[in-house]
Amino acid sequence: MIPLKRRKVVPTGAGNTGSEETSPNKFPQVVLFLLERKMGASRRAFLSQLGRKKGFQVEELFSEGITHVICENNSGDEVIAWLESQVRGRGRATAHLLDVSWFTESMRAGRPVEILDRHQLQQQIREVEVVVFSAPSYACQRRTTLDNHNAILTDALSLLAENAELSGEDGRGVAFRRAAGVLKGLPEPVTAVTQLVGLPCLGGHSLRVVKDILENGASCEVEDTKQSERFKVLKVLTGIFGVGVKTAERWIQEGIRGLQQLQDSGRTLNRAQQAGLQHYEDLNQHVTRSEADAVAAVVEEAVASVLPGARMTLIGGFRRGKLTGHDVDFLITHPEEGREVGLMPKVVSWLESQGFLLYQKTTKNSYLEGEDGPARPSSNMDRFERCFSIFKLTEEVNGEGLKPWRAVRVDLVVSPISQFAFALLGWTGSKLFERELRRWAGHKKAMSLSSHALYDNTQRRYLRASSEEEIFAHLGLEYIPPSERNA
Ligand code: UTP
Ligand code: MN
């Protein structure tokens, strides 16, 4: 403790000796404290004396009255940790945390200079502090909402994925999709590649693309791909409903470069492709949520009319909460096993009779339930009764001059109630999430998952489930709701 007498003479603390010249406190709003840590005791004593000479109040001990903490060679984290240990139980100190440069500049100026960003330790932490992200490897272990903080990066990687898929390089496509999937789930924008060191699925190629974008604002590879004639033509041609990569490739080899040329070439197109070409513009325009709801109302009515008690569920991207989609997907079932048999043709007839269908193609279910479970899936192909269709959707609200309807792609799937949970999980997506669920099942659990069933290779039996939650539980995964499956 400082003797009372002395305090009277030297109100600014014990570091001062009576022999030293001090000016009266000229700046009552400013109470300084110099942190000894890393500054050293002698330099601290020297700077304190200097401050007092210039008329500053410099305290020896830290207290809540301190307005400015002066530090040298300390990181913001270190100072905050130290402060917290000092003010424990007395509330968080609100003092400015300043670099010694503020002090020396103030000494030079003979008054407290304005606090600039460069003086502030807190500011420095924010710049220095780098969040290093981490995430589990499988997309089905992660929660990926639609709130993507790295759309610029994921769009670029998705474009490269698309290009790889259009070039028949599916492996590369998956790698880019996985990399994009990881970035989609990050809680904030990436600012430096060093933040990504601990993340899975980011290979050298993807990291290079990310680095180019972060450092230069764009990736040459992505820009070149976007501009490439081949990519552009492939996108246009595969953008025709019913045209896959192989057909598009063949046409390109035959010299076809666009829609007009295709039409003029007199190529024989199948029914799907004819419809695709005819409604090209509509089908390449996003379906909105309200259009999806309008389609849902129609399908609901169709289902209720042909089989009362049957249930219809919106699946695909719209179930995940997306606001737009390339189509609208529905899963139909009946709570009594077997009642769903023959349902699809009836629904389709009803829709056709009401004039809702511009095109439809139904495929049969060849996936039958045996005595002790569903037939073993031989591949990941789905064998549900399924209808690919193009709806003629009348638009309720119409601006003048707009045509009164538009073409919308609609996928209908019928499943028996015993497989409903698997179908629901399998058709909700995203495609990457599904792929990762199957990969997880196979690699981590020795199980085979399809949209029909889950087979345990160790126990050599099917695992039943009547909800998505049960399937996640069988797989040893935390339940992820649809809105968080947007990997
Ligand atoms: P979509 O292709 O409709 O994707 O398939 P999406 O997520 O709804 O996206 P947009 O908005 O339409 O573009 C929906 C789900 O159905 C599965 C896919 O894996 C995806 O998860 N699916 C699709 C199949 O299982 N088999 C198929 O033949 C097609
Ligand atoms: Mn869809």
Side-chain angles (χ1 to χ4, degrees):
M1 278 305 284
I2 309 145
L4 256 182
K5 252 197 207 159
R6 232 190 199 185
R7 256 199 200 162
K8 260 188 183 166
V9 185
V10 192
T12 47
N16 226 342
T17 63
S19 64
E20 273 164 18
E21 164 202 351
T22 58
S23 308
N25 181 6
K26 289 203 266 181
F27 316 106
Q29 304 307 319
V30 178
V31 184
L32 304 183
F33 173 80
L34 277 65
L35 188 67
E36 186 174 311
R37 194 171 183 282
K38 295 202 179 163
M39 186 183 280
S42 57
R43 179 161 160 80
R44 179 179 187 244
F46 168 75
L47 293 177
S48 297
Q49 283 166 17
L50 182 67
R52 289 177 191 121
K53 274 188 207 158
K54 298 276 185 185
F56 287 81
Q57 183 178 343
V58 183
E59 292 294 336
E60 277 308 304
L61 298 174
F62 186 80
S63 72
E64 279 162 292
I66 304 292
T67 59
H68 295 56
V69 178
I70 310 298
C71 320
E72 193 162 40
N73 299 326
N74 277 269
S75 79
D77 287 333
E78 290 167 325
V79 178
I80 287 168
W82 184 87
L83 275 180
E84 245 138 39
S85 72
Q86 296 300 301
V87 299
R88 196 176 298 141
R90 283 178 286 143
R92 177 89 162 71
T94 49
H96 294 288
L97 307 185
L98 301 174
D99 181 69
V100 72
S101 60
W102 178 86
F103 180 87
T104 51
E105 285 167 38
S106 297
M107 293 306 111
R108 216 174 298 139
R111 58 173 173 81
V113 297
E114 190 191 343
I115 296 172
L116 302 174
D117 275 356
R118 65 185 166 83
H119 296 130
Q120 301 216 36
L121 231 51
Q122 301 247 32
Q123 200 70 31
Q124 289 169 1
I125 326 167
R126 243 173 265 132
E127 280 167 15
V128 175
E129 182 185 278
V130 178
V131 183
V132 176
F133 298 111
S134 67
S137 315
Y138 290 78
C140 52
Q141 297 172 286
R142 304 190 297 257
R143 295 175 182 272
T144 315
T145 64
L146 288 167
D147 197 10
N148 180 356
H149 301 282
N150 289 286
I152 293 170
L153 302 178
T154 60
D155 285 352
L157 293 170
S158 301
L159 184 125
L160 295 181
E162 194 181 2
N163 185 53
E165 287 154 5
L166 288 173
S167 311
E169 298 173 56
D170 288 346
R172 257 158 56 85
V174 171
F176 285 129
R177 298 262 176 227
R178 282 208 189 110
V182 168
L183 299 184
K184 277 183 194 173
L186 298 182
E188 54 187 88
V190 176
T191 52
V193 268
T194 49
Q195 295 177 284
L196 308 178
V197 288
L199 288 177
C201 310
L202 284 161
H205 197 155
S206 294
L207 281 175
R208 207 157 58 239
V209 172
V210 169
K211 188 164 184 279
D212 283 346
I213 296 173
L214 292 177
E215 287 173 5
N216 314 321
S219 143
C220 288
E221 185 181 1
V222 172
E223 297 311 308
D224 288 351
T225 304
K226 254 190 237 173
Q227 298 307 319
S228 105
E229 202 53 34
R230 212 188 107 78
F231 179 73
K232 285 195 276 192
V233 174
L234 275 171
K235 275 209 71 153
V236 169
L237 295 181
T238 57
I240 305 169
F241 174 72
V243 178
V245 177
K246 289 204 178 109
T247 306
E249 284 278 7
R250 199 178 65 238
W251 287 345
I252 290 174
Q253 271 170 22
E254 292 167 6
I256 289 167
R257 294 286 176 272
L259 300 182
Q260 193 57 52
Q261 227 178 336
L262 176 64
Q263 228 150 11
D264 298 345
S265 74
R267 287 271 175 319
T268 35
L269 302 178
N270 65 29
R271 227 164 37 85
Q273 294 162 349
Q274 282 170 29
L277 201 53
Q278 197 179 341
H279 304 293
Y280 186 84
E281 224 169 283
D282 274 4
L283 298 185
N284 280 283
Q285 191 192 315
H286 278 150
V287 183
T288 64
R289 177 72 210 205
S290 66
E291 287 168 337
D293 290 340
V295 174
V298 171
V299 176
E300 186 93 66
E301 195 186 342
V303 170
S305 310
V306 302
L307 182 62
R311 287 185 351 214
M312 180 209 83
T313 310
L314 182 65
I315 48 176
F318 286 111
R319 182 165 182 248
R320 302 196 307 273
K322 277 179 66 178
L323 296 175
T324 61
H326 93 284
D327 66 357
V328 196
D329 312 282
F330 296 99
L331 178 59
I332 304 165
T333 191
H334 192 284
E336 259 174 71
E337 185 83 10
R339 292 289 301 278
E340 80 292 344
V341 173
L343 179 54
M344 189 68 94
K346 288 185 197 150
V347 170
V348 171
S349 296
W350 188 95
L351 291 168
E352 226 148 30
S353 70
Q354 302 284 316
F356 281 116
L357 296 184
L358 295 164
Y359 166 90
Q360 69 83 16
K361 182 179 158 66
T362 307
T363 54
K364 281 263 165 61
N365 183 4
S366 62
Y367 196 94
L368 298 169
E369 286 260 319
E371 286 279 285
D372 20 272
R376 182 83 194 280
S378 57
S379 76
N380 282 324
M381 282 288 289
D382 288 315
R383 289 172 187 74
F384 287 119
E385 214 173 357
R386 181 175 177 189
C387 176
F388 303 90
S389 72
I390 301 176
F391 261 51
K392 179 175 179 173
L393 183 66
T394 44
E395 307 270 5
E396 299 236 322
V397 192
N398 246 313
E400 273 172 60
L402 288 181
K403 68 172 186 174
W405 60 270
R406 68 162 288 198
V408 172
R409 281 200 48 188
V410 177
D411 262 14
L412 304 175
V413 182
V414 170
S415 105
I417 191 72
S418 58
Q419 299 175 17
F420 181 77
F422 296 99
L424 185 61
L425 179 59
W427 288 81
T428 295
S430 67
K431 286 196 186 77
L432 179 68
F433 193 90
E434 302 298 338
R435 175 183 279 280
E436 295 278 279
L437 268 177
R438 292 194 297 265
R439 190 165 72 96
W440 169 273
H443 291 192
K444 293 283 196 177
K445 297 281 154 184
M447 294 180 186
S448 325
L449 175 69
S450 75
S451 294
H452 298 273
L454 178 63
Y455 185 78
D456 186 326
N457 296 304
T458 317
Q459 298 184 54
R460 299 188 177 199
R461 68 177 185 99
Y462 283 94
L463 304 176
R464 299 274 173 177
S466 54
S467 68
E468 289 182 316
E469 283 87 343
E470 283 175 61
I471 305 173
F472 279 91
H474 282 318
L475 291 169
L477 287 168
E478 208 177 304
Y479 176 69
I480 311 272
S483 62
E484 294 176 337
R485 296 180 203 160
N486 286 292

